[in-house]
Amino acid sequence: MRSHITGVGFHVPDRVVTNDDLAKVMDTSDEWIVERTGIRERRFVEPGVGTTELAETAARRAIEAAGRQVSDVDFIVFATITRDYMFPGCGTLLQQRLGLPTIGALDVHNACSGFLYGLSVADAFVRLGAYRCVLLIGAEVQSTGLDLSTRGRDMAVLFGDGAGAALLEPGGDERGVLSWALHGEGEFAQELWAEAPSSLAPGRITAEMIAEGRAFPRMNGRQVFKHATVRFTEVIHEALEKAGCSLDQVALVVPHQANQRIADAVGQRLGLPPEKVFQNIQRYGNTTAASIPIALAEAQAQGRLKPGDLVVLAAFGAGFAWGAAVVKW
């Protein structure tokens, strides 16, 4: 028995923030951002809107797309690094918002690779027969944690808010999740991280941390680019080998939407034409754990995913942590 992705859905806030909008509050320009990232605009939430609220809309759309009822869901896996609160996680908050009974809810805190790590858990639960309808979420509200000034420009221009969801159910035919491969390398944790709030600091955060901007995300862009282009390629080949498939059978690669230059470089390393690498970072920026399910839902809506297509999902990011999965649609 395999787990099938029976429905996908996504939701992004209405508020569009263009590169020109950012140029009004920091030393940057549309040309500078597009050249380095490929991003032209992103979505930001309105005040008071949190990660779980975005996730609820995406979840309901995925459930409807699968032809199911909310009551069919018997487990939630929620990938995010932007929880509404320090604790509890968003999984139980979503369970309450959906009006579900006391089903289990698991949070995954793996940043950019969170959706793929969550997919591996959901897939295992379904194949084991532990659950029959797992709701998998990737959702983020990054905008409220960005330094929207020239000091924080290099990170602030990258991120946006959004949520994506997928429903996984058992199926007996040849379709479904064929394989996945996951990796981590904590040696490079500080190359892409947000240091605070931290349990190492009294009160979780200090005035010194705030003054020095240590509560905002930081990145060594050169290191991330170098590692990402190599690890993406390696793990895609690994997952394909596990699935007993070859690259020439792949209809579409859906990568984490981190940077258009990274995705372009990975496509070139794999020898894939641009039309086989799905990208929507131009419109949404980097939505971290939400980027792959948002891309999947858009690819489905655009007719880029057809029954029987071999699809590869891949991500690399903070941790460093990365992974890939092969799915027969």
Side-chain angles (χ1 to χ4, degrees):
M1 184 172 65
R2 288 179 178 153
S3 68
H4 289 197
I5 297 176
T6 56
V8 289
F10 82 103
H11 174 62
V12 292
D14 292 334
R15 181 186 172 196
V16 177
V17 178
T18 66
N19 293 341
D20 289 333
D21 291 330
L22 294 181
K24 297 172 184 176
V25 295
M26 64 181 72
D27 182 12
T28 191
S29 68
D30 177 66
E31 181 182 16
W32 187 90
I33 297 171
V34 171
E35 179 184 346
R36 286 161 177 78
T37 71
I39 300 167
R40 296 184 179 277
E41 61 186 39
R42 70 287 293 148
R43 304 296 182 95
F44 282 4
V45 296
E46 297 296 341
V49 175
T51 298
T52 309
E53 183 172 338
L54 295 183
E56 181 188 357
T57 303
R60 292 186 183 278
R61 289 173 178 171
I63 293 166
E64 181 180 1
R68 300 297 183 190
Q69 303 295 320
V70 170
S71 58
D72 293 322
V73 174
D74 56 3
F75 197 86
I76 295 171
V77 180
F78 199 125
T80 185
I81 57 167
T82 56
R83 297 183 297 255
D84 293 1
Y85 313 107
M86 278 292 288
F87 65 87
C90 290
T92 52
L93 301 180
L94 179 61
Q95 170 260 324
Q96 186 271 333
R97 290 185 72 101
L98 291 173
L100 286 164
T102 57
I103 66 170
L106 171 71
D107 276 51
V108 177
H109 196 72
N110 271 64
C112 307
S113 60
F115 185 81
L116 282 177
Y117 270 77
L119 177 67
S120 72
V121 174
D123 175 55
F125 277 159
V126 170
R127 285 192 296 109
L128 284 168
Y131 300 103
R132 294 194 58 83
C133 189
V134 179
L135 175 61
L136 173 60
I137 301 289
E140 307 283 0
V141 171
Q142 293 284 7
S143 60
T144 55
L146 299 175
D147 181 358
L148 295 172
S149 71
T150 300
R151 179 182 70 171
R153 173 187 60 187
D154 290 353
M155 291 293 279
V157 301
L158 296 174
F159 293 99
D161 304 335
L167 211 64
L168 279 83
E169 302 181 75
D173 60 28
E174 62 180 10
R175 295 177 302 126
V177 178
L178 305 186
S179 69
W180 36 264
L182 306 172
H183 294 278
E185 196 170 19
E187 174 186 351
F188 299 100
Q190 295 185 20
E191 305 294 356
L192 177 54
W193 72 329
E195 183 183 357
S198 167
S199 62
L200 297 173
R204 307 292 193 206
I205 193 166
T206 65
E208 180 184 16
M209 285 176 165
I210 295 172
E212 294 176 355
R214 289 154 64 190
F216 296 119
R218 295 180 179 184
M219 175 176 67
N220 180 336
R222 288 179 181 271
Q223 280 280 52
V224 171
F225 185 89
K226 182 179 81 170
H227 284 264
T229 52
V230 172
R231 297 306 194 187
F232 260 115
T233 308
E234 288 177 348
V235 79
I236 287 172
H237 282 301
E238 179 186 357
L240 283 169
E241 184 177 353
K242 284 186 173 182
C245 301
S246 60
L247 193 59
D248 59 5
Q249 295 175 280
V250 175
L252 193 66
V253 173
V254 181
H256 163 55
Q257 307 292 305
N259 186 307
Q260 185 173 326
R261 292 171 60 203
I262 291 175
D264 289 345
V266 170
Q268 290 168 8
R269 280 175 174 261
L270 294 171
L272 294 173
E275 61 269 19
K276 281 198 170 187
V277 181
F278 188 87
Q279 296 195 60
N280 60 5
I281 192 171
Q282 304 89 345
R283 298 189 304 281
Y284 303 124
N286 181 344
T287 54
T288 323
S291 77
I292 288 179
I294 289 174
L296 274 176
E298 280 213 325
Q300 171 100 335
Q302 294 172 16
R304 302 277 297 275
L305 294 174
K306 299 178 178 62
D309 279 353
L310 199 67
V311 183
V312 174
L313 316 178
F316 174 93
F320 288 156
W322 63 97
V326 178
V327 180
K328 195 160 191 179
W329 204 252

